[in-house]
Amino acid sequence: MLPSPGCYRTGLGGGRAGTMSAEPASGPTQDQVDILEYNFNRVNKRPDPTTLCLIAAEAGLSEEETEKWFKQRLAQWRRSEGLPSECRSVTD
């Protein structure tokens, strides 16, 4: 698995690597969700930027889409565990 060229650039790019513009913007396909879920459940719920880049390349999504998916999925997981959807300071 090789990282996409966007992994080496910061603040540039966007869009899906290797996809056509005719694809609907309704979210990731089931295959992409399977890759994301596998990485969320078995690898890391909070991937570092390098790992996020590799997951994005594997799933064929942009880093931004992958990061957004992980943030939303983490909030969903935290709610299911009875935790607040976002981490807060212990003094809050």
Side-chain angles (χ1 to χ4, degrees):
M1 160 178 44
L2 295 173
S4 67
C7 294
Y8 302 110
R9 294 179 283 176
T10 56
L12 298 175
R16 295 178 180 212
T19 60
M20 297 174 58
S21 60
E23 186 174 324
S26 61
T29 65
Q30 187 59 49
D31 289 341
Q32 291 168 325
V33 170
D34 291 345
I35 291 167
L36 295 168
E37 282 288 343
Y38 173 84
N39 282 282
F40 182 83
N41 290 315
R42 295 201 175 94
V43 178
N44 194 344
K45 290 179 178 20
R46 296 177 191 219
D48 60 81
T50 302
T51 304
L52 190 71
C53 178
L54 294 171
I55 294 168
E58 181 181 2
L61 297 168
S62 72
E63 291 175 70
E64 292 80 15
E65 290 170 309
T66 305
E67 182 177 20
K68 179 180 176 183
W69 186 91
F70 267 87
K71 284 182 179 180
Q72 291 174 342
R73 182 64 179 87
L74 181 62
Q76 178 186 26
W77 175 81
R78 290 180 59 79
R79 284 190 303 271
S80 75
E81 295 292 313
L83 301 167
S85 60
E86 293 183 21
C87 275
R88 298 215 166 101
S89 166
V90 291
T91 61
D92 284 352

